[in-house]
């Protein structure tokens, strides 16, 4: 009670002084006299109460000096940080409040928050995403960058990263000494590669792993590099690529790549490239598993033969008839899984072997398909999860 009276009395004196200032005609003399009255009162107050009042006043003044900026300034800072980072507004405001509305400090804090969040989400299923393809004179690289939703897959920051990763994948060196063929690689080989990014939201030199984590933080989803493939050609070869469901050049959800080889010097590359592009499109549509029937694996052949034999035996026919049924259905199986035996999707009157033979006649040199590759976003992820294996593994 004594403290409360000690506080109220100086406030009352101050109020009386100020009000008298505006009611008196002699402003300066009145103010001077009131300050004299206040000084006299101050000297009559016990020293303990004076220090308490002074401490309370200092506390109020210090609190006022750290007050947040005006609402309009807050909105401006939120907008600036949002434009810099593309982070959710909720996280942007939280970082600004945490850092006393310091824009630079809040940006650093936001990146730390994002990396922690990305780490927490890394175990979530990421079956959506994009394939990115890059090509130079002798190689084609395709990488799969996964995310959780199609919405993020359409984001231009996500797509920028995927294209940048594909271009750098051309620098991957095959561990084998093969001159041509398909070389698969996974995160363990590629994630420490250096990227030089030049995007308003993600820029500077960093590793693939750090760039993926940063984009995951911006997107608020699990983003991961799953796998990549590098296809090389021989000196007399041609590489052709086709992307299905492509939002922009170099990106798509399904990729088909075909390698053609021409014997001798041939100047009719336009015809070869035309057929190569058609074959890459065919690979996407027809989903071949093997290049030719001679390359069908013994395991696949044994499994299919067992299934076909079981089906034929259910007809109740004799053993000789059953064998004929099995052989006939095996030919049909080859037409489904072996590229060279498949019907051409553009003209189903011919198969791929006939198409390539016709091309050889057209260019005047033997042409052959040496390799092909078909990749689809998310393929195999459900199977990997069902067997409790890591999601992001090379197929």
């Amino acid at each position: 009670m004594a403290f409360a009276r000690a506080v109220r009395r100086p406030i009352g004196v101050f109020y009386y002084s100020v009000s008298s200032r505006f009611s008196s005609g002699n402003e300066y003399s009145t103010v001077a006299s009131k300050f004299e009255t206040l000084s006299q009162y101050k000297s009559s107050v016990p020293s303990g109460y004076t220090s308490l009042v002074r401490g309370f006043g200092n506390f109020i003044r210090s609190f006022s000096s750290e007050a947040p900026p005006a609402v309009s300034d807050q909105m401006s800072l939120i907008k600036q940080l949002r434009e810099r980072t593309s982070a959710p507004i909720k996280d942007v405001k939280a970082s600004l409040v945490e850092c006393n509305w310091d824009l630079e400090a809040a940006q650093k804090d936001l990146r730390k928050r994002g990396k922690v969040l990305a780490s927490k989400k890394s175990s979530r299923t990421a079956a959506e995403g994009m394939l990115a393809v890059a090509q130079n004179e002798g190689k084609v690289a395709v990488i799969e960058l996964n995310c959780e939703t199609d919405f993020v897959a359409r984001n231009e920051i996500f797509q920028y990263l995927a294209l940048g990763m594909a271009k750098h994948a051309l620098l991957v060196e095959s561990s084998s000494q093969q001159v041509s063929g398909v070389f698969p690689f996974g995160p363990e080989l590629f994630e420490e590669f250096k990227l030089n990014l030049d995007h308003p939201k993600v820029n500077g030199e960093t590793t693939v792993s750090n760039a993926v984590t940063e984009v995951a933080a911006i997107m608020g989803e699990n983003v991961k590099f799953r796998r990549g493939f590098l296809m090389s050609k021989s000196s007399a070869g041609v590489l052709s690529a086709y992307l299905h469901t492509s939002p922009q050049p170099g990106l798509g959800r399904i990729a088909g790549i075909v390698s053609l080889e021409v014997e001798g010097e041939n100047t009719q590359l336009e015809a070869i490239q035309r057929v190569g592009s058609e074959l890459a499109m065919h690979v996407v549509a027809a989903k071949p598993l093997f290049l030719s029937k001679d390359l069908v694996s013994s395991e696949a052949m044994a499994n299919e033969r067992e299934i076909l034999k079981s089906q034929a035996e259910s007809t109740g026919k004799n053993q000789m008839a059953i064998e004929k049924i099995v052989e006939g259905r095996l030919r049909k199986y080859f037409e489904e899984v072996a590229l060279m035996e498949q019907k051409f999707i553009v003209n189903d009157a011919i198969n791929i072997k006939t198409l390539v033979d016709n091309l050889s006649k057209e260019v005047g040199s033997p042409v052959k398909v040496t390799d092909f590759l078909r990749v689809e976003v998310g393929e195999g992820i459900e199977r990997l999860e069902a067997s409790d294996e890591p999601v992001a593994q090379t197929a």
Side-chain angles (χ1 to χ4, degrees), residues 1-60:
M1 291 297 291
F3 174 75
R5 283 196 298 272
V7 171
R8 282 200 299 269
R9 291 179 67 184
I11 291 175
V13 171
F14 180 75
Y15 174 77
Y16 178 74
S17 301
V18 173
S19 62
S20 299
R21 172 183 174 185
F22 293 100
S23 60
S24 171
N26 191 344
E27 182 177 321
Y28 296 104
S29 62
T30 304
V31 171
S33 65
K34 297 308 177 186
F35 269 117
E36 184 180 353
T37 304
L38 183 60
S39 300
Q40 292 172 0
Y41 176 78
K42 181 179 177 183
S43 63
S44 66
V45 176
S47 59
Y49 291 128
T50 304
S51 60
L52 283 172
V53 172
R54 185 183 298 113
F56 182 73
N58 290 339
F59 169 74
I60 293 296

Side-chain angles (χ1 to χ4, degrees), residues 93-143:
K93 185 176 180 182
S95 288
L96 282 167
V97 170
E98 180 72 22
C99 298
N100 244 352
W101 298 91
D102 183 319
L103 190 62
E104 299 301 327
Q107 186 171 354
K108 292 179 182 178
D109 179 71
L110 200 57
R111 292 183 70 179
K112 291 177 184 176
R113 286 170 180 257
K115 288 180 179 179
V116 171
L117 186 64
S119 176
K120 289 179 179 178
K121 294 184 177 183
S122 62
S123 61
R124 288 169 25 176
T125 302
E128 291 293 333
M130 278 287 165
L131 299 174
V133 171
Q135 185 170 359
N136 60 21
E137 190 175 339
K139 298 177 183 177
V140 173
V142 55
I143 65 98

Side-chain angles (χ1 to χ4, degrees), residues 326-344:
V326 169
E327 292 304 317
R329 290 179 179 175
L330 270 178
R331 286 193 293 272
K332 183 68 176 175
Y333 171 72
F334 291 143
E335 290 178 5
E336 293 173 356
V337 300
L339 175 62
M340 301 305 292
E341 305 299 321
Q342 289 180 332
K343 299 291 184 183
F344 186 32

Side-chain angles (χ1 to χ4, degrees), residues 69 172 248 327:
V172 171
Q248 62 169 297
E327 292 304 317

